[in-house]
Structure formats: C-alpha cells, structure tokens
C-alpha cells in the first residue's frame, strides 16, 4: 500500500470517528464500517441515504444502521468470497493442467518405449531378447498406469473441491440477499426481484401484486419493551409472512418495521385475501417475554396492496402500494387496503 493510500485511509478513519461522535453514534465495529464507507465516498447511494436522514433530523438508530448495512455493504462479503473462490478454483485447474501435460509426455515416452522394444525383435531374437522387450513394455505400462491413476484421483478430488466452492459461493450469495435479523430477503434482493417480476408481468400480461405491510405502533412497542423484544416482534411477523405466502412469492424486510411481499401471477382480490390471512395470523400470535414468561399482548399489522399496470416501474408500483398502506393506517390500522377499496391521497399517518 502506498503512503498516499495509507494517508487517505487514515483520513477516512478519522472522519468516520468524528462523524459518529458528532451524531451520537455508538463507536462499535459495525457502525464504524458504515461511517468509514460514508467518509470514503465509495458508495454514493449510501451517502445520499445518510444525508437525507440527517438533513431531516431523524436519528441513525441501531435499526436504521442495520438496514443501511444490509442494503449497501452486503456486497463486500460476497465480493471477497467470490475472489477467494476464483483463486482456489484457478489453483485446482492449474494443478490438473500440470498432471495432464505430464501424462501427455508419459504417453509419448510410452509409445517410444514400445517402438524401441518392438524394433529390437526379429525372427532371430532369443527368448532372452523377448523377455527384455516385454519387461521394458511392462515397466513403461506401469509408469503410464500410475500417472493415469494420479490424474483420475486428482480429477475426483477437484470435482469434490469445485462442488464445495460452488456451495460456499451460493451460501455467500444467499447471505448477501438475506436480512440477518428475520431471515427473509433484504432490500437489495427485494429491489432485484421486483424489477425482474415487473419485466416478466409486462412480457406475459400476467397479473402481479405487491404488498407493503407495516407493524402498527412499533416504535411505541419498541420504546416500552426494548429493542430485544422489538426484534422478537420482527421475527414473529416475518414468520407469519412466510407461512402465509407461496414458494413463488418473495417476502422481504423492506426497511425498519416495514415488509414487502411480491406476489407474481396474483390478482388484486387474491392479493387482498393473502394480505388479510397474514394480518389475522399476526394478530392471533401472543407475545411472551422469554426471560420471564410474561405476556406482552399482541401486535397488529396494516397492509397495502398495489396492482401492476403495464406502464409501471418499481417506483410507481411501490408508491401505490405504500399509499394504500397509509390509507389503512388513517382508517384505524390492523386492516388491508388495495386500489380496489380506496383512492389514497395522503401519507399523514405513520407507525
């Protein structure tokens, strides 16, 4: 590393620490990684997201920091695993090539040995001459067989190694697309999947719906019972979403206490039924404090249903689903609203 790069890294580090102190951010490693990336300017989208939140006066709490890390820093680990996998695979292939080249040389030598032994035999050859020729051919055959066996064993070992590398890479890809707290897809995976499903719906003229759901009064619940219990609530809701959807659907943590569900090949009425099934499942689950067994009551969830239109991009479909969600909150929460049931015009209510 050059002195210029070291200086740059040192400046970024100092700036990251300064920013965390300025905004009252706990100086723990995971927060440092986020603010170091911000100070370095390597991820413009992250800087924009943080700047918007800071300019609005909203705090960068633990949940927000986790969400930002999931969305903007998850690719770093995947890139590292991909690089390591490529290096290991390249090493394996180089060793195979060396063995094959060696085997090719042995094959040439074997042919030469056989020709030499054959050329030394004639009608006048003695039994001893024949024995010597056969001995030479057998020795060359054993050498050839040994190299072939080595190549076969190496290929088997490499096949196993490649399978392991593929599994490692796939696990890293899945981790980079998964919300660490709830186990459902993260925002990055949600964005990618929604864009893909919109393209498919446009090409095939199949229906597509999007649910945006929000836990009612989550902030109050979090403040009353603490973040650990809040995390328990998020996991419970994620479980209800998973249980209430199909394998072809995509459940994602959209941000904070908001979740998104992508429903391909689903009409608006069917999407409303799915959303109500999820809402009822969440409401039916009683929360119990694990440390004491104390009942903490129940939580509820409001959901909005957006329906795909041929002119839609991700942003417009999300906007309409989000507007339906806020209409559900305005009208008392713990309910489902869709474009069939409402014409939302405001976003005044949250939480």
């Amino acid at each position: 590393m050059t002195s210029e790069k070291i200086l740059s890294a040192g400046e970024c580090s100092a700036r990251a620490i300064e920013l965390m102190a300025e905004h009252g951010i706990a100086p723990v490693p995971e927060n440092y990684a986020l603010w170091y990336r911000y100070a370095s300017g390597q991820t413009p989208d992250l800087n924009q997201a943080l700047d918007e939140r800071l300019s609005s006066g909203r705090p960068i709490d633990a949940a927000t920091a986790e969400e930002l890390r999931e969305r903007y820093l998850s690719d770093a680990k995947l890139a590292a695993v991909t690089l390591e996998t490529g290096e290991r695979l390249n090493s394996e292939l180089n060793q195979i090539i060396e063995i094959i080249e060696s085997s090719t040389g042995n094959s040439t030598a074997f042919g030469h040995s056989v020709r030499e032994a054959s050329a030394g035999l004639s009608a006048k050859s003695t039994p001893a001459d024949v024995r010597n020729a056969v001995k030479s051919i057998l020795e060359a055959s054993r050498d050839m067989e040994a190299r072939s066996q080595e190549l076969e064993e190496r290929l088997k070992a490499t096949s196993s190694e490649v399978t392991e590398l593929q599994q490692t890479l796939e696990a890293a890809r899945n981790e980079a697309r998964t919300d660490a707290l709830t186990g459902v897809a993260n925002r990055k995976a949600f964005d990618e999947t929604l864009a893909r499903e919109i393209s498919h719906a446009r090409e095939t003229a199949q229906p597509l719906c999007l649910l945006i759901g929000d836990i009612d009064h989550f902030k109050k619940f979090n403040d009353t019972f603490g973040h650990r219990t809040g995390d328990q609530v998020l996991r419970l809701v994620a479980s209800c979403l998973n249980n209430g959807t199909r394998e072809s659907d995509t459940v994602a943590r959209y941000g904070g206490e908001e979740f998104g569900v992508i429903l391909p090949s689903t009409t608006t009425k069917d999407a409303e039924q799915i959303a109500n099934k999820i809402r009822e499942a969440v409401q039916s689950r009683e929360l119990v404090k694990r440390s004491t067994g104390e009942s903490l009551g129940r939580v509820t969830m409001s959901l909005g249903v957006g329906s795909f239109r041929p002119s839609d991009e991700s942003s417009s479909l999300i906007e309409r689903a989000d507007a339906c969600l806020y209409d559900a909150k305005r009208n008392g929460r713990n309910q489902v609203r869709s474009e069939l049931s409402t014409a939302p015009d405001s976003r005044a209510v949250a939480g």
Side-chain angles (χ1 to χ4, degrees), residues 132-199:
N132 288 334
V134 170
K135 182 180 178 182
S136 296
I137 293 171
L138 284 174
E139 288 176 351
S141 295
R142 290 192 189 99
D143 288 342
M144 187 68 182
E145 183 181 0
R147 295 301 292 172
S148 296
Q149 181 68 25
E150 182 183 355
L151 177 59
E152 182 180 351
E153 290 175 356
R154 188 65 200 174
L155 285 171
K156 285 180 181 178
T158 298
S159 177
S160 176
E161 178 76 5
V162 168
T163 299
E164 181 185 336
L165 291 174
Q166 287 174 333
Q167 291 171 345
T168 300
L169 188 56
E170 186 62 27
R173 283 175 177 158
N174 289 337
E175 184 176 344
R177 294 167 55 84
T178 301
D179 177 63
L181 176 63
T182 62
V184 299
N186 61 17
R187 179 62 182 272
K188 176 179 175 60
F190 172 86
D191 290 341
E192 292 174 353
T193 304
L194 182 59
R196 185 171 63 248
E197 291 296 348
I198 284 176
S199 294

Side-chain angles (χ1 to χ4, degrees), residues 117-126 129-130:
S118 299
L121 295 176
S122 66
K124 297 180 180 179
S125 296
T126 65
D129 293 334
V130 174

